[in-house]
């Protein structure tokens, strides 16, 4: 099927910190419109993996293809272009502190994409409206709640028209009552067909939305499969152990 | 007319002339010094190993040599290799390079205080390193560096008085002439000192205004 060509393919991604191998030969391939969820204990390498995927962290080994084209890390310009196509959502939002919500969304459109300021502004307002924050566009990050900041950061990523989005525990830094507003936005984006790789502990939400769970522990992908299989019929004891703990903590699914 | 010595036209005009020369030394030196400080500070934080080595070497030398010695080199030394600078140009060059070395340390500290999440977010959006510095980290670092850089500009106002050592007659130089012509050393230098105090006060006020204007929610450490 034509729509089953992997949009992103990663092979044997490896990262060492000192003499510790924090990511071991991680391979993953994702089709257009799919959502893959990385689960696993803290320190397992989820953030490292996601950051290696857009080269925010330099992997020591591994190859990567977007739309069948290999991305060569040595070519800086290619990396800058590749990153525009890969939206990234961080656990602690990382909005630009000196810019209003509107300018946070607009700045890369103007400075990276070279859009005119007016056009970029219109687009930014559209995206802020999409995440329900149009009326907050003149607020600075310090004036927004955590949930609002994360929604602005999603608008900022969406404005770039990414082909795929990487979300690194997007709700982990939020107070419990703010989690659902962010999950609602992610659900919307997902239903618009966005391809995503997300790490999360929100197991209920994830199993309802994901095509596949990827269990990552000590830097290795232990096992991969549909949510119900990983959660209830996992092959490895380590996966089962983690999943029973996480479902207990973060609520039911199915 | 003893008590109105400082109202005598020739004394007033000498002081005014010196004051103008001082201002003409200070303003460009502060601006160039700040620009050098930003560039060197940025290189020390974001440059490659080579750029970092050059930047650190520059700071080491220009903070390490006494300023008077630097001025002597620019004014008396360069002619030996065929470069002749006017006293004014030599002074501005010396002040800018020296001030830039100090400014760069404040700027470097300010760049380092920008959270890594800011640069990660910029890179993730496809910013090149130089655009990231220009549009994301510099605007933040600038706000944090202002108090330190302002302090350096206050120093600059005072060490600009060294220009008379290389025959650039600014306020202190004029004062010295007035004093030795009239033997009124104490009064003359009291008046000169008061004029410097006025300049530093105005500069401090302007810098505060600037800090206030640049204040943003989340950057309130300055009031
Ligand atoms: N910059 C770094 N320097 C050294 N070790 C790091 C660094 N970043 C992460 N690590 C280590 O790599 C491992 C994986 O971390 P991380 O990818 O953050 O895991 P997760 O996101 O699954 O919690 C951890 O042991 C962590 O301590
Ligand atoms: Mg993490």
């Amino acid at each position: 099927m034509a729509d089953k060509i992997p949009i992103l393919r990663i092979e044997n991604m490896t990262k060492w910190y000192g003499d510790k191998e924090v990511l071991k030969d991680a391979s993953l391939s994702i089709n257009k419109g799919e959502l893959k969820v990385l689960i696993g204990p803290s320190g397992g390498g989820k953030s490292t993996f996601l950051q290696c995927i857009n080269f925010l962290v330099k992997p020591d080994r591994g190859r990567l293809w977007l739309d069948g084209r290999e991305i060569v890390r040595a070519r800086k310009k290619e990396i800058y272009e590749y990153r525009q196509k890969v939206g990234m959502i961080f656990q602690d939002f990382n909005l630009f502190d000196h810019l209003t919500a509107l300018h946070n969304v607009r700045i890369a459109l103007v400075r990276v994409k070279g859009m005119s300021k007016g056009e970029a502004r219109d687009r930014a307002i559209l995206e802020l409206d999409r995440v329900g924050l149009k009326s907050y566009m003149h607020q600075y990050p310090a004036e927004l709640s955590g949930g609002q900041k994360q929604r602005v950061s999603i608008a900022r990523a969406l404005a770039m028209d990414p082909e795929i989005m990487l979300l690194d525990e997007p709700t982990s830094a939020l107070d419990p009552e703010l989690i659902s507003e962010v999950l609602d936005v992610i659900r919307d984006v997902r239903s618009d067909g966005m391809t995503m790789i997300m790490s999360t502990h929100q197991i209920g939400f994830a199993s309802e939305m994901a095509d596949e769970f990827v269990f990552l522990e000590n830097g290795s992908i232990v096992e991969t499969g549909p949510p119900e299989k990983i959660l209830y019929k996992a092959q490895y004891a380590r996966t089962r152990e983690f999943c029973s703990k996480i479902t207990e903590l973060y609520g039911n699914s199915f | 007319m003893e008590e109105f010595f400082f109202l005598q036209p020739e004394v007033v005009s000498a002081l005014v002339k010196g004051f103008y020369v001082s201002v003409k030394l200070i303003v460009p030196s502060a601006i160039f010094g700040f620009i050098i400080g930003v560039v060197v500070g940025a290189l020390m934080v974001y440059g490659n190993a080579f750029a970092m080595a050059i930047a650190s070497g520059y700071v080491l030398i220009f903070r390490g040599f006494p300023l008077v010695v630097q001025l002597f080199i620019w004014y008396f030394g360069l002619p030996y290799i065929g470069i002749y600078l006017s006293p004014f140009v030599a002074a501005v060059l010396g002040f800018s390079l020296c001030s830039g070395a100090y400014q760069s340390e404040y700027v470097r500290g300010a760049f380092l205080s920008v959270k890594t999440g800011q640069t990660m977010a910029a890179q993730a959006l496809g910013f090149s390193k130089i655009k990231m510095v220009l549009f994301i980290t510099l605007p933040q670092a600038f706000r944090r560096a202002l108090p330190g850089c302002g302090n350096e500009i206050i120093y600059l106002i005072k060490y600009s008085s060294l220009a008379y050592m290389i025959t650039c007659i600014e306020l202190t130089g004029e004062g010295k002439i007035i004093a030795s012509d009239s033997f009124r050393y104490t009064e003359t230098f009291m008046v000169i000192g008061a004029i410097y105090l006025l300049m530093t006060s105005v500069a401090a006020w302007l810098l505060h205004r600037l800090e206030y204007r640049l204040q943003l929610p989340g950057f309130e450490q300055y009031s």
Side-chain angles (χ1 to χ4, degrees):
Chain A
M1 282 191 290
D3 62 340
K4 283 293 177 185
I5 296 166
I7 191 164
L8 187 76
R9 186 155 73 89
I10 300 144
E11 248 179 35
N12 301 325
M13 200 144 275
T14 299
K15 176 67 191 176
W16 293 79
Y17 278 122
D19 54 6
K20 194 171 173 229
E21 194 175 16
V22 294
L23 193 64
K24 298 172 191 164
D25 283 319
S27 297
L28 184 152
S29 131
I30 182 166
N31 296 320
K32 195 164 163 37
E34 279 186 331
L35 166 61
K36 299 219 173 187
V37 168
L38 303 180
I39 58 168
S42 200
K46 300 181 296 295
S47 299
T48 305
F49 189 28
L50 288 171
Q51 289 175 10
C52 281
I53 293 176
N54 67 357
F55 303 109
L56 284 182
V57 163
K58 309 262 174 280
D60 294 303
R61 189 152 46 83
R63 298 173 69 184
L64 186 152
W65 293 261
L66 182 74
D67 295 322
R69 250 194 83 214
E70 181 160 14
I71 307 299
V72 182
R73 188 152 51 87
R75 303 199 195 112
K76 274 193 187 163
K77 263 197 84 178
E78 224 169 270
I79 296 292
Y80 299 149
E81 272 162 27
Y82 163 74
R83 283 178 178 153
Q84 293 176 42
K85 298 178 196 155
V86 181
M88 180 104 188
I89 303 300
F90 299 90
Q91 186 173 338
D92 35 16
F93 332 123
N94 293 342
L95 289 186
F96 301 128
D97 291 330
H98 64 301
L99 299 175
T100 60
L102 175 65
H103 285 91
N104 259 280
V105 180
R106 200 190 73 165
I107 191 161
L109 297 179
V110 176
R111 301 302 178 186
V112 177
K113 285 208 152 177
M115 235 184 234
S116 77
K117 286 189 174 173
E119 198 186 342
R121 184 190 156 89
D122 293 345
R123 179 63 197 267
I125 291 172
L126 198 80
E127 294 300 339
L128 284 170
D129 199 20
R130 187 167 164 190
V131 300
L133 289 174
K134 191 174 163 186
S135 55
Y136 289 83
M137 66 182 177
H138 297 305
Q139 309 290 104
Y140 284 90
E143 301 168 316
L144 298 172
S145 74
Q148 292 169 334
K149 282 190 237 191
Q150 194 59 297
R151 284 150 68 196
V152 172
S153 98
I154 293 171
R156 178 174 70 177
L158 287 172
M160 299 294 284
D161 286 322
E163 291 184 26
I164 179 169
M165 283 175 73
L166 311 174
L167 300 94
D168 189 5
E169 298 197 30
T171 58
S172 291
L174 297 176
D175 292 333
E177 75 273 17
L178 301 177
I179 290 176
S180 67
E181 66 180 61
V182 172
L183 293 184
D184 287 345
V185 169
I186 295 172
R187 192 177 285 117
D188 274 358
V189 176
R190 169 89 184 109
S191 63
D192 286 345
M194 178 61 70
T195 313
M196 300 196 240
I197 305 175
M198 171 166 75
S199 75
T200 186
H201 293 301
Q202 296 295 325
I203 215 73
F205 173 77
S207 47
E208 152 208 332
M209 310 249 314
D211 295 291
E212 198 168 73
F213 273 11
V214 176
F215 178 58
L216 196 62
E217 191 190 49
N218 294 326
S220 299
I221 294 180
V222 176
E223 88 179 275
T224 299
E228 62 273 27
K229 172 165 180 277
I230 297 295
L231 284 176
Y232 301 114
K233 283 172 279 189
Q235 190 180 347
Y236 294 96
R238 280 139 67 198
T239 317
R240 286 196 295 272
E241 202 180 308
F242 175 79
C243 287
S244 69
K245 226 184 300 171
I246 201 90
T247 40
E248 204 175 293
L249 271 173
Y250 290 90
N252 56 318
S253 46
F254 300 116
Chain B
M1 293 301 281
E2 285 245 308
E3 41 299 37
F4 300 115
F5 174 72
F6 286 103
L7 293 178
Q8 283 174 25
E10 55 278 29
V11 174
V12 170
S13 80
L15 288 175
V16 168
K17 208 172 95 202
F19 173 76
Y20 275 126
V21 174
S22 284
V23 170
K24 279 200 287 190
L25 284 170
I26 291 161
V27 172
S29 299
I31 292 169
F32 291 139
F34 183 71
I35 292 169
I36 294 170
V38 167
V39 172
V40 173
L43 287 177
M44 286 198 287
V45 177
Y46 302 107
N48 57 23
F50 179 72
M52 273 186 196
I54 299 277
S56 317
Y58 160 77
V59 173
L60 185 73
I61 289 170
F62 287 87
R63 280 199 312 179
F65 276 43
L67 181 55
V68 185
V69 175
Q70 293 181 38
L71 292 176
F72 285 170
I73 292 172
W74 298 129
Y75 186 63
F76 298 114
L78 284 186
Y80 285 98
I81 56 167
I83 299 171
Y84 295 85
L85 300 179
S86 72
F88 175 79
V89 170
V92 170
L93 179 69
F95 294 155
S96 301
L97 288 169
C98 178
S99 189
Y102 281 99
Q103 305 264 21
S104 70
E105 282 295 301
Y106 294 114
V107 174
R108 183 174 74 94
F111 272 125
L112 289 175
S113 78
V114 176
K115 285 170 276 165
T116 53
Q118 302 283 303
T119 56
M120 288 220 286
Q123 288 175 304
L125 285 164
F127 277 82
S128 64
K129 210 172 200 179
I130 182 132
K131 283 184 178 171
M132 172 187 93
V133 173
L134 281 177
F135 301 117
I136 306 298
T137 59
L138 182 58
Q140 298 187 24
F142 183 78
R143 291 179 164 83
R144 301 217 170 95
L146 253 184
C149 290
N151 200 33
E152 175 52 31
I153 287 170
I154 304 284
Y155 271 116
L156 167 68
I157 291 173
K158 292 179 292 171
Y159 62 61
S160 71
S161 63
L162 291 174
Y164 88 92
M165 303 282 284
I166 54 169
T167 75
C168 178
I169 305 303
E170 38 62 78
L171 187 57
T172 309
E174 294 288 359
K176 211 160 169 263
I177 295 167
I178 295 169
S180 48
D181 286 355
S182 63
F183 299 104
R184 293 166 178 264
Y185 287 94
T186 311
E187 298 105 298
T188 305
F189 287 118
M190 288 294 281
V191 169
I192 299 287
I195 297 173
Y196 278 105
L197 179 62
L198 181 76
M199 285 196 274
T200 53
S201 306
V202 170
W205 179 78
L206 285 173
L207 287 160
H208 254 95
R209 287 281 316 247
L210 184 62
E211 278 179 34
Y212 181 78
R213 291 261 330 244
L214 291 175
Q215 222 175 56
L216 294 178
F219 288 80
E220 289 101 340
Q221 57 266 56
Y222 327 117
S223 52

